[in-house]
Amino acid sequence: MQDELSSSLDWLRAHPELQTLVASAALLFAAWLANWVVKRILVRGLYKVLRSSRDAQLQDFGIIRRLSNIVPALVLSVGVNAVPGLPEAAVTVVRNVCGGFIVLTIALALGALLDIINLMYQRRADAHVHPIKGYLQVVKIAIYAIATILIIATLIDRSPLILLSGLGAMAAVLLLIFQDTILSLVASVQISSNDIIRVGDWIEMPQLNADGDVIDIALHTVKVQNWDKTITNIPTKRFISDSFKNWRGMQESGGRRIKRSLYLDQQSVHFLSAEECERLHRFNLLDDYLTEKRREIDEWNAKLEERGKEPVNTRRITNIGSFRAYVERYLRSHGGVHQAMTLIVRQLSPTADGLPLEIYCFTNTVQWVKYESIQSDIFDHLLAILPEFGLRVFQHPSGADMRAGYGSVSQLLNQPAPRTAELTDPDTATQRAEG
């Protein structure tokens, strides 16, 4: 057996080209076998362990699979020296390519590791307050830049210091190329340190058609999911250079503002008669107000009478003042209005569209659906209660109003003209007027 093996080796030595081919095939087989053993046995066994632990996300990012590719590359890099008959240039090329592949594999594995760190950080309760995704992306860019330099240096078989020394002259070019990255990095630091935006904040940036929740903050872009479920990608630096509205303050305060006006017909404003005042006493919310107001006005008017002033100078209760007092007391007793926040019912300057009566208050919820429901409930009641005070809502004439007015004018114009005898007869003229 030994003799046969010895004779075979002697025969291969006598044919150096065939010996090189067999040795190369054996090296490739050894690299394949190492790759198969590592991935089929070691990596699969490690994955089974990870599935039952909290570190199962390692499998999702493939960090272990990437690192396993180093083993066959190491086998080729070390074993190529043992292949007889290979030219020195071929050995150098194989070793350099394997070295560059190892550097690339390690860089990709480190990038996956940074993704895992970000995923684990996001599990924290305060992760949305201080996101680190932008910083990790900067580290990832630095890793890939260093890896690129090392790969190029390995492939050309030169020291990396030679390439690094040449980067000084390329600094201006690099600053021009990576200016967006540098600006985004500065913006990310300011956003995080000043707590400008967080994941989950509702923001408005009309100039970019963004109105919705922040769902992701990265180095270069901030993703906003608008209320119509579309996604707007905003450059991170725009949050430093442009103005925008962040609704976080409203959400954290526990109350959402209602600021809306009722436009009243100014011709319906008048003084209340004694009968109207008595009828308004039926409202529990106005009973105390009317009593106190009547006492105050009576005292004022009594002083006027003592000085002999004309009755025209006396004060009287108005329907719009009583309605304003009713609205304020109604809001004070409403279960959906935040009583600890500002509550004002005020008149604004009269306009061509009527007299604005503004309601300024806050609901005790920040949820959009409940907020709209409370707001609608308030104005439903106020619009329905207006006639009790003798007030009307101002409204521009509609098509139906125009048709009704046109019909009345047409009926008036279509009446037959009175005869001359009827115009001169007083009794006939009286009957027509009464009819």
Side-chain angles (χ1 to χ4, degrees):
M1 186 68 179
Q2 292 181 354
D3 295 339
E4 293 179 358
L5 180 60
S6 177
S7 61
S8 298
L9 293 175
D10 293 338
W11 183 79
L12 286 175
R13 292 190 189 99
H15 300 80
E17 295 82 1
L18 186 59
Q19 183 181 9
T20 302
L21 181 60
V22 172
S24 300
L27 179 60
L28 292 175
F29 177 77
W32 175 83
L33 182 62
N35 181 69
W36 184 85
V37 171
V38 170
K39 290 187 176 180
R40 293 297 181 91
I41 299 177
L42 297 181
V43 174
R44 285 190 177 182
L46 187 57
Y47 277 169
K48 290 181 180 179
V49 175
L50 293 176
R51 289 193 189 102
S52 59
S53 66
R54 296 181 58 186
D55 297 327
Q57 66 268 19
L58 291 173
Q59 179 182 357
D60 297 333
F61 289 95
I63 182 172
I64 299 176
R65 178 177 52 80
R66 288 190 174 94
L67 290 176
S68 66
N69 293 326
I70 297 177
V71 176
L74 287 174
V75 172
L76 290 175
S77 178
V78 175
V80 71
N81 294 320
V83 178
L86 276 181
E88 187 64 25
V91 174
T92 302
V93 169
V94 172
R95 293 179 59 184
N96 291 346
V97 171
C98 290
F101 178 77
I102 292 173
V103 173
L104 176 61
T105 301
I106 294 176
L108 294 176
L110 290 176
L113 179 62
L114 293 177
D115 292 336
I116 294 173
I117 293 175
N118 182 60
L119 178 63
M120 297 178 66
Y121 180 81
Q122 289 179 349
R123 294 178 177 178
R124 297 179 50 175
D126 59 342
H128 67 285
V129 180
H130 301 290
I132 63 171
K133 186 175 182 179
Y135 303 119
L136 294 179
Q137 287 182 332
V138 173
V139 176
K140 189 181 294 186
I141 291 174
I143 291 174
Y144 291 159
I146 295 173
T148 302
I149 295 174
L150 293 177
I151 290 172
I152 295 175
T154 302
L155 292 177
I156 65 177
D157 199 15
R158 293 291 185 272
S159 173
L161 297 178
I162 298 176
L163 296 177
L164 291 175
S165 62
L167 292 179
M170 298 177 61
V173 179
L174 292 176
L175 288 177
L176 181 62
I177 295 174
F178 294 104
Q179 61 176 340
D180 291 336
T181 300
I182 296 173
L183 292 174
S184 298
L185 174 60
V186 175
S188 297
V189 172
Q190 293 183 357
I191 287 174
S192 179
S193 59
N194 297 325
D195 196 18
I196 296 178
I197 56 173
R198 305 174 186 171
V199 175
D201 283 355
W202 170 16
I203 66 168
E204 283 187 46
M205 191 175 282
Q207 61 270 30
L208 297 180
N209 296 322
D211 184 9
D213 291 334
V214 177
I215 60 176
D216 184 57
I217 301 176
L219 176 62
H220 294 92
T221 60
V222 174
K223 288 185 179 181
V224 177
Q225 185 175 41
N226 302 309
W227 299 124
D228 58 359
K229 300 307 178 182
T230 58
I231 302 295
T232 300
N233 291 312
I234 304 174
T236 307
K237 59 184 180 182
R238 297 293 293 269
F239 287 91
I240 304 300
S241 60
D242 295 0
S243 63
F244 67 97
K245 182 186 291 186
N246 192 334
W247 289 83
R248 188 202 310 162
M250 178 274 293
Q251 293 172 333
E252 293 178 348
S253 68
R256 187 168 178 179
R257 187 183 69 174
I258 296 176
K259 185 181 179 182
R260 183 181 292 184
S261 298
L262 283 173
Y263 287 84
L264 305 178
D265 189 345
Q266 300 175 66
Q267 296 182 357
S268 64
V269 178
H270 62 271
F271 292 110
L272 292 177
S273 63
E275 293 78 10
E276 289 175 323
C277 286
E278 190 64 28
R279 189 173 70 253
L280 290 181
H281 270 287
R282 296 177 298 132
F283 294 96
N284 292 331
L285 297 177
L286 282 179
D287 193 23
D288 295 339
Y289 165 79
L290 292 174
T291 301
E292 179 64 23
K293 199 68 175 179
R294 172 55 62 188
R295 184 189 63 79
E296 176 188 342
I297 291 177
D298 289 345
E299 291 178 358
W300 173 276
N301 293 337
K303 293 178 182 179
L304 288 178
E305 292 178 1
E306 293 174 0
R307 296 197 296 267
K309 299 294 182 180
E310 295 293 333
V312 71
N313 296 309
T314 60
R315 290 174 56 189
R316 286 177 286 177
I317 301 176
T318 62
N319 61 342
I320 189 171
S322 301
F323 179 69
R324 181 166 49 83
Y326 173 81
V327 174
E328 181 177 353
R329 283 159 175 76
Y330 174 74
L331 295 176
R332 294 289 182 189
S333 62
H334 197 287
V337 176
H338 203 303
Q339 303 301 324
M341 294 186 175
T342 306
L343 194 157
I344 301 176
V345 181
R346 60 174 183 169
Q347 292 182 25
L348 302 181
S349 300
T351 67
D353 294 327
L355 178 63
L357 186 69
E358 185 183 75
I359 287 84
Y360 189 104
C361 62
F362 291 81
T363 62
N364 56 10
T365 180
V366 298
Q367 296 183 15
W368 189 14
V369 176
K370 292 183 179 179
Y371 162 78
E372 294 292 349
S373 177
I374 294 172
Q375 183 174 228
S376 299
D377 176 72
I378 291 173
F379 281 89
D380 289 347
H381 177 79
L382 297 182
L383 289 171
I385 205 70
L386 268 177
E388 295 287 343
F389 294 84
L391 293 168
R392 296 188 303 271
V393 177
F394 182 87
Q395 181 173 303
H396 290 283
S398 64
D401 298 328
M402 296 296 184
R403 287 193 296 271
Y406 178 76
S408 300
V409 173
S410 299
Q411 291 178 1
L412 182 62
L413 294 176
N414 291 331
Q415 289 182 356
R419 294 188 295 273
T420 303
E422 293 178 349
L423 292 175
T424 56
D425 187 358
D427 295 335
T428 304
T430 302
Q431 290 176 2
R432 288 184 59 86
E434 292 177 350

